[in-house]
Each structure stands twice: as structure tokens, then as C-alpha cells.
Amino acid sequence: MSLQSRIAPSGTIRFAINIGNSVLTRVDPKSGEVGGITVNLARDIARELDLPYTLEIFNSARAVVETASQDAWDFAFVARDPKRSESITFSNPYFLIEGSYLVRKDSPINSNKEVDQTGVTVAVGKGAAYDLYLSRNLKNAKIVRTVGSKPVDEMLMNNTIDVAAGIRPAMAKYVTRNPALRLLSEPFMFIEQAIGTPVQNQDGARFIETYLKEAHSSGRIEKLCKVP
């Protein structure tokens, strides 16, 4: 049995694409076409394997992870996390995204360590990598998990929450449209974006390890991951 048939038994590679991560994936508002870093990588991996491919679209990383054992995809672009490793084998990271806190401009919170206090509420996207990380590391603050595109800037301005946690580019957009908000200067974590395979597909995991080593050494990964 060939490597291609072991990695993608259907004959077509299925890539799980999380359109909820605006840094890695973008959707054209007019055409609906999906592009960005993850799509660049998918095309390059398919070329390396000389196989056709499809993009399986998901709205969140949580949805991708939940389908890891359902034969829904062959490769996925999601952040590494110990909890997710129960069902997914992760590559080394190919891209890092800062996780940052957003607060009201008049908030007394000025540093990351001041967030973890009794009485402080922190909004996170349910099941996101930073949710899993903060669930392990915040001992005193209360975590409020949101689903979908609930506007955390409105939650902040309505005093529903004290802090919003998320990827820095997305948090920065809130500040751009609302000067009454501000970002804390230091990231609270670096989110390691990786290529995952279902744990049962070790041939796929080994291929991705070799693929990324070659792509890094050739400098191709920098071109594929260039943010426009």
C-alpha cells in the first residue's frame, strides 16, 4: 500500500480549515472563497503528495477537534495543546500567534499578573487554545466562555466582563474601532499553530514531520506563512 493511500485512503486529502482564525484563514466577503496561510499550506502539502484535495470548513478549532475521531479530515491546522493531544497528533509549530488581554481603558488592570484576581471575569472563546491554556493557569479569576462571534467589546463596555482574552490581531481590531478599550502590552501566551493528524494516522504524522523539516530548511515555509 502506497504512502498516499495510507495517508488519504479516499484518494483525496481532506484538510480541516478553521475559518474562525482570521490570522491563518480569510474568507472573501464577496466570492466566499477561502484563502490564507492554511490554504497555502494545504495546496503545498497536496502538491508534495501529488494528490487532489478538498477543504473541509469549520467555524472553530473546537469543532475541528471534536471531529478528530469521526474520519472527517486527514490533516488539520489547529493550535497545539495537551488536552487536544488525546485525539490528535501534532507537528512542531509552524507559526506563532500572540494571545493577549483586552480591557477597558479605565480598567485598573495594567499587567497580565493582575488579571488572575478574585472577582475578575475573563471572556474566552469556548474550546479555543487560549481557553484551554487559561483554564489550567488562572486560579482566581472567573472564566466566561463565549460561543460564536459574540462581541466582547460590547461585553466590556457593558461591564459584563472585566477582561477579554484572544489572539492579538483580533483584539487589536476591537481597539481600532473602540478607543475606550486597550490591549495589555505583553502577551499572556504564544499560541503554537501546528498541523494535526488523527492519532490513528501515524503515517500522516510522520509525513508532516518530514514535510515541515524540508519546508523550513528550504525557506518555503516563510513564503507560505507570509501574512498579507
Side-chain angles (χ1 to χ4, degrees), residues 16-224:
I17 303 292
N18 168 26
I19 61 173
N21 188 326
S22 59
V23 176
L24 300 182
T25 308
R26 64 178 184 274
V27 181
D28 186 284
K30 293 183 179 179
S31 67
E33 183 178 356
V34 180
I37 291 172
T38 54
V39 177
N40 293 345
L41 286 166
R43 288 173 179 155
D44 198 61
I45 292 168
R47 181 188 59 78
E48 284 288 308
L49 286 167
D50 193 24
L51 284 173
Y53 69 93
T54 60
L55 303 179
E56 306 297 328
I57 305 301
F58 294 83
N59 291 317
S60 69
R62 178 169 63 96
V64 174
V65 175
E66 288 176 347
T67 58
S69 60
Q70 298 174 17
D71 191 29
W73 46 265
D74 302 302
F75 295 117
F77 302 98
V78 287
R80 298 201 307 179
D81 185 86
K83 179 66 176 175
R84 293 175 176 174
S85 295
E86 295 172 5
S87 58
I88 298 174
T89 301
F90 287 102
S91 70
N92 288 324
Y94 64 87
F95 196 82
L96 298 178
I97 301 177
E98 292 182 6
S100 297
Y101 289 130
L102 180 70
V103 298
R104 290 182 293 277
K105 202 163 190 178
D106 60 359
S107 170
I109 297 173
N110 292 297
S111 67
N112 293 340
K113 64 181 180 181
E114 294 173 349
V115 171
D116 195 14
Q117 302 180 59
T118 301
V120 172
T121 53
V122 183
V124 301
K126 185 176 181 180
Y130 48 89
D131 174 16
L132 301 176
Y133 173 86
L134 293 175
S135 295
R136 291 190 297 269
N137 289 278
L138 291 183
K139 305 303 181 185
N140 302 298
K142 178 183 177 182
I143 294 177
V144 177
R145 293 176 175 84
T146 64
V147 178
S149 57
K150 196 171 184 177
V152 293
D153 56 342
E154 289 183 18
M155 295 173 69
L156 280 166
M157 297 311 299
N158 293 336
N159 293 305
T160 307
I161 58 171
D162 301 300
V163 181
I167 58 176
R168 193 172 189 87
M171 297 292 99
K173 287 182 180 178
Y174 287 123
V175 175
T176 299
R177 74 188 193 194
N178 192 335
L181 301 175
R182 61 181 169 86
L183 276 169
L184 298 193
S185 59
E186 297 296 325
F188 63 81
M189 71 176 296
F190 287 94
I191 304 167
E192 298 180 333
Q193 300 297 326
I195 303 174
T197 51
V199 290
Q200 64 269 24
N201 192 345
Q202 289 305 301
D203 287 306
R206 285 189 288 269
F207 165 77
I208 287 299
E209 181 181 0
T210 301
Y211 165 80
L212 284 176
K213 283 181 180 178
E214 190 281 326
H216 276 293
S217 63
S218 67
R220 196 164 77 252
I221 199 73
E222 293 182 11
K223 294 179 181 178
L224 293 169

